[in-house]
PDB file of all heavy atoms in Angstrom:
ATOM      1  N   LEU N  29     168.538  38.581 -47.142  1.00  0.00           N
ATOM      2  CA  LEU N  29     167.564  37.588 -47.610  1.00  0.00           C
ATOM      3  C   LEU N  29     168.080  36.828 -48.828  1.00  0.00           C
ATOM      4  O   LEU N  29     167.928  35.601 -48.905  1.00  0.00           O
ATOM      5  CB  LEU N  29     166.233  38.254 -47.936  1.00  0.00           C
ATOM      6  CG  LEU N  29     165.547  38.983 -46.774  1.00  0.00           C
ATOM      7  CD1 LEU N  29     164.260  39.630 -47.248  1.00  0.00           C
ATOM      8  CD2 LEU N  29     165.294  38.060 -45.611  1.00  0.00           C
ATOM      9  N   SER N  30     168.708  37.532 -49.761  1.00  0.00           N
ATOM     10  CA  SER N  30     169.234  36.829 -50.934  1.00  0.00           C
ATOM     11  C   SER N  30     170.380  35.904 -50.529  1.00  0.00           C
ATOM     12  O   SER N  30     170.563  34.840 -51.112  1.00  0.00           O
ATOM     13  CB  SER N  30     169.659  37.801 -52.038  1.00  0.00           C
ATOM     14  OG  SER N  30     170.720  38.620 -51.629  1.00  0.00           O
ATOM     15  N   GLY N  31     171.130  36.283 -49.493  1.00  0.00           N
ATOM     16  CA  GLY N  31     172.183  35.411 -48.973  1.00  0.00           C
ATOM     17  C   GLY N  31     171.617  34.151 -48.346  1.00  0.00           C
ATOM     18  O   GLY N  31     172.158  33.059 -48.529  1.00  0.00           O
ATOM     19  N   ILE N  32     170.522  34.292 -47.599  1.00  0.00           N
ATOM     20  CA  ILE N  32     169.860  33.125 -46.994  1.00  0.00           C
ATOM     21  C   ILE N  32     169.390  32.175 -48.092  1.00  0.00           C
ATOM     22  O   ILE N  32     169.541  30.966 -47.986  1.00  0.00           O
ATOM     23  CB  ILE N  32     168.676  33.564 -46.106  1.00  0.00           C
ATOM     24  CG1 ILE N  32     169.197  34.270 -44.848  1.00  0.00           C
ATOM     25  CG2 ILE N  32     167.804  32.365 -45.730  1.00  0.00           C
ATOM     26  CD1 ILE N  32     168.117  34.954 -44.032  1.00  0.00           C
ATOM     27  N   LEU N  33     168.838  32.748 -49.154  1.00  0.00           N
ATOM     28  CA  LEU N  33     168.339  31.930 -50.261  1.00  0.00           C
ATOM     29  C   LEU N  33     169.461  31.379 -51.130  1.00  0.00           C
ATOM     30  O   LEU N  33     169.262  30.413 -51.862  1.00  0.00           O
ATOM     31  CB  LEU N  33     167.373  32.750 -51.129  1.00  0.00           C
ATOM     32  CG  LEU N  33     166.060  33.160 -50.478  1.00  0.00           C
ATOM     33  CD1 LEU N  33     165.307  34.125 -51.364  1.00  0.00           C
ATOM     34  CD2 LEU N  33     165.217  31.939 -50.171  1.00  0.00           C
ATOM     35  N   GLY N  34     170.636  32.021 -51.075  1.00  0.00           N
ATOM     36  CA  GLY N  34     171.748  31.597 -51.923  1.00  0.00           C
ATOM     37  C   GLY N  34     171.491  31.864 -53.389  1.00  0.00           C
ATOM     38  O   GLY N  34     171.891  31.103 -54.259  1.00  0.00           O
ATOM     39  N   MET N  35     170.801  32.972 -53.664  1.00  0.00           N
ATOM     40  CA  MET N  35     170.435  33.311 -55.038  1.00  0.00           C
ATOM     41  C   MET N  35     171.020  34.654 -55.424  1.00  0.00           C
ATOM     42  O   MET N  35     171.350  35.468 -54.570  1.00  0.00           O
ATOM     43  CB  MET N  35     168.912  33.419 -55.179  1.00  0.00           C
ATOM     44  CG  MET N  35     168.156  32.182 -54.929  1.00  0.00           C
ATOM     45  SD  MET N  35     166.391  32.529 -55.085  1.00  0.00           S
ATOM     46  CE  MET N  35     165.805  30.954 -55.584  1.00  0.00           C
ATOM     47  N   LYS N  36     171.079  34.869 -56.730  1.00  0.00           N
ATOM     48  CA  LYS N  36     171.462  36.183 -57.233  1.00  0.00           C
ATOM     49  C   LYS N  36     170.305  37.139 -56.954  1.00  0.00           C
ATOM     50  O   LYS N  36     169.145  36.721 -56.873  1.00  0.00           O
ATOM     51  CB  LYS N  36     171.742  36.111 -58.731  1.00  0.00           C
ATOM     52  CG  LYS N  36     172.972  35.283 -59.049  1.00  0.00           C
ATOM     53  CD  LYS N  36     173.231  35.245 -60.526  1.00  0.00           C
ATOM     54  CE  LYS N  36     174.481  34.428 -60.800  1.00  0.00           C
ATOM     55  NZ  LYS N  36     174.742  34.281 -62.228  1.00  0.00           N
ATOM     56  N   PRO N  37     170.612  38.430 -56.789  1.00  0.00           N
ATOM     57  CA  PRO N  37     169.559  39.405 -56.433  1.00  0.00           C
ATOM     58  C   PRO N  37     168.325  39.392 -57.329  1.00  0.00           C
ATOM     59  O   PRO N  37     167.213  39.475 -56.830  1.00  0.00           O
ATOM     60  CB  PRO N  37     170.293  40.743 -56.522  1.00  0.00           C
ATOM     61  CG  PRO N  37     171.708  40.404 -56.207  1.00  0.00           C
ATOM     62  CD  PRO N  37     171.928  39.038 -56.821  1.00  0.00           C
ATOM     63  N   ARG N  38     168.494  39.278 -58.622  1.00  0.00           N
ATOM     64  CA  ARG N  38     167.334  39.314 -59.526  1.00  0.00           C
ATOM     65  C   ARG N  38     166.392  38.139 -59.263  1.00  0.00           C
ATOM     66  O   ARG N  38     165.168  38.295 -59.261  1.00  0.00           O
ATOM     67  CB  ARG N  38     167.798  39.312 -60.974  1.00  0.00           C
ATOM     68  CG  ARG N  38     166.637  39.417 -61.952  1.00  0.00           C
ATOM     69  CD  ARG N  38     167.097  39.606 -63.347  1.00  0.00           C
ATOM     70  NE  ARG N  38     167.591  40.970 -63.483  1.00  0.00           N
ATOM     71  CZ  ARG N  38     168.103  41.475 -64.578  1.00  0.00           C
ATOM     72  NH1 ARG N  38     168.226  40.736 -65.652  1.00  0.00           N
ATOM     73  NH2 ARG N  38     168.521  42.723 -64.627  1.00  0.00           N
ATOM     74  N   GLU N  39     166.962  36.951 -59.039  1.00  0.00           N
ATOM     75  CA  GLU N  39     166.139  35.768 -58.757  1.00  0.00           C
ATOM     76  C   GLU N  39     165.477  35.887 -57.389  1.00  0.00           C
ATOM     77  O   GLU N  39     164.304  35.564 -57.219  1.00  0.00           O
ATOM     78  CB  GLU N  39     167.003  34.511 -58.792  1.00  0.00           C
ATOM     79  CG  GLU N  39     167.631  34.219 -60.128  1.00  0.00           C
ATOM     80  CD  GLU N  39     168.733  33.159 -60.035  1.00  0.00           C
ATOM     81  OE1 GLU N  39     169.070  32.736 -58.921  1.00  0.00           O
ATOM     82  OE2 GLU N  39     169.248  32.776 -61.093  1.00  0.00           O
ATOM     83  N   ALA N  40     166.247  36.346 -56.403  1.00  0.00           N
ATOM     84  CA  ALA N  40     165.737  36.475 -55.034  1.00  0.00           C
ATOM     85  C   ALA N  40     164.631  37.520 -54.955  1.00  0.00           C
ATOM     86  O   ALA N  40     163.684  37.365 -54.177  1.00  0.00           O
ATOM     87  CB  ALA N  40     166.869  36.819 -54.082  1.00  0.00           C
ATOM     88  N   LYS N  41     164.727  38.581 -55.730  1.00  0.00           N
ATOM     89  CA  LYS N  41     163.739  39.665 -55.701  1.00  0.00           C
ATOM     90  C   LYS N  41     162.335  39.143 -55.997  1.00  0.00           C
ATOM     91  O   LYS N  41     161.359  39.556 -55.366  1.00  0.00           O
ATOM     92  CB  LYS N  41     164.130  40.759 -56.700  1.00  0.00           C
ATOM     93  CG  LYS N  41     163.226  41.952 -56.691  1.00  0.00           C
ATOM     94  CD  LYS N  41     163.405  42.750 -55.430  1.00  0.00           C
ATOM     95  CE  LYS N  41     162.611  44.030 -55.486  1.00  0.00           C
ATOM     96  NZ  LYS N  41     162.603  44.717 -54.214  1.00  0.00           N
ATOM     97  N   LYS N  42     162.241  38.221 -56.947  1.00  0.00           N
ATOM     98  CA  LYS N  42     160.933  37.663 -57.304  1.00  0.00           C
ATOM     99  C   LYS N  42     160.316  36.922 -56.115  1.00  0.00           C
ATOM    100  O   LYS N  42     159.138  37.080 -55.815  1.00  0.00           O
ATOM    101  CB  LYS N  42     161.071  36.706 -58.491  1.00  0.00           C
ATOM    102  CG  LYS N  42     161.460  37.389 -59.778  1.00  0.00           C
ATOM    103  CD  LYS N  42     161.708  36.390 -60.883  1.00  0.00           C
ATOM    104  CE  LYS N  42     162.255  37.081 -62.122  1.00  0.00           C
ATOM    105  NZ  LYS N  42     162.632  36.131 -63.160  1.00  0.00           N
ATOM    106  N   ILE N  43     161.130  36.130 -55.424  1.00  0.00           N
ATOM    107  CA  ILE N  43     160.627  35.358 -54.285  1.00  0.00           C
ATOM    108  C   ILE N  43     160.304  36.274 -53.110  1.00  0.00           C
ATOM    109  O   ILE N  43     159.255  36.150 -52.487  1.00  0.00           O
ATOM    110  CB  ILE N  43     161.634  34.260 -53.885  1.00  0.00           C
ATOM    111  CG1 ILE N  43     161.646  33.192 -54.983  1.00  0.00           C
ATOM    112  CG2 ILE N  43     161.281  33.649 -52.537  1.00  0.00           C
ATOM    113  CD1 ILE N  43     162.619  32.076 -54.785  1.00  0.00           C
ATOM    114  N   VAL N  44     161.191  37.225 -52.817  1.00  0.00           N
ATOM    115  CA  VAL N  44     160.968  38.143 -51.698  1.00  0.00           C
ATOM    116  C   VAL N  44     159.711  38.980 -51.946  1.00  0.00           C
ATOM    117  O   VAL N  44     158.902  39.178 -51.036  1.00  0.00           O
ATOM    118  CB  VAL N  44     162.214  39.030 -51.454  1.00  0.00           C
ATOM    119  CG1 VAL N  44     161.918  40.114 -50.447  1.00  0.00           C
ATOM    120  CG2 VAL N  44     163.385  38.169 -50.982  1.00  0.00           C
ATOM    121  N   SER N  45     159.522  39.440 -53.164  1.00  0.00           N
ATOM    122  CA  SER N  45     158.316  40.210 -53.497  1.00  0.00           C
ATOM    123  C   SER N  45     157.057  39.374 -53.293  1.00  0.00           C
ATOM    124  O   SER N  45     156.048  39.865 -52.788  1.00  0.00           O
ATOM    125  CB  SER N  45     158.379  40.707 -54.942  1.00  0.00           C
ATOM    126  OG  SER N  45     159.419  41.636 -55.079  1.00  0.00           O
ATOM    127  N   LYS N  46     157.107  38.111 -53.659  1.00  0.00           N
ATOM    128  CA  LYS N  46     155.961  37.208 -53.482  1.00  0.00           C
ATOM    129  C   LYS N  46     155.703  36.970 -51.991  1.00  0.00           C
ATOM    130  O   LYS N  46     154.550  36.921 -51.561  1.00  0.00           O
ATOM    131  CB  LYS N  46     156.228  35.888 -54.218  1.00  0.00           C
ATOM    132  CG  LYS N  46     155.134  34.878 -54.099  1.00  0.00           C
ATOM    133  CD  LYS N  46     154.022  35.125 -55.077  1.00  0.00           C
ATOM    134  CE  LYS N  46     153.054  33.952 -55.084  1.00  0.00           C
ATOM    135  NZ  LYS N  46     151.695  34.342 -54.793  1.00  0.00           N
ATOM    136  N   LEU N  47     156.772  36.858 -51.192  1.00  0.00           N
ATOM    137  CA  LEU N  47     156.612  36.679 -49.749  1.00  0.00           C
ATOM    138  C   LEU N  47     155.946  37.903 -49.120  1.00  0.00           C
ATOM    139  O   LEU N  47     155.118  37.770 -48.223  1.00  0.00           O
ATOM    140  CB  LEU N  47     157.967  36.409 -49.091  1.00  0.00           C
ATOM    141  CG  LEU N  47     158.602  35.050 -49.396  1.00  0.00           C
ATOM    142  CD1 LEU N  47     160.034  34.998 -48.889  1.00  0.00           C
ATOM    143  CD2 LEU N  47     157.793  33.922 -48.802  1.00  0.00           C
TER     144      LEU N  47
END
Side-chain angles (χ1 to χ4, degrees):
L29 300 178
S30 64
I32 290 170
L33 293 172
M35 297 178 152
K36 293 181 179 176
R38 183 172 287 178
E39 297 167 355
K41 183 70 174 171
K42 293 175 187 174
I43 290 177
V44 171
S45 294
K46 179 82 170 123
L47 290 170

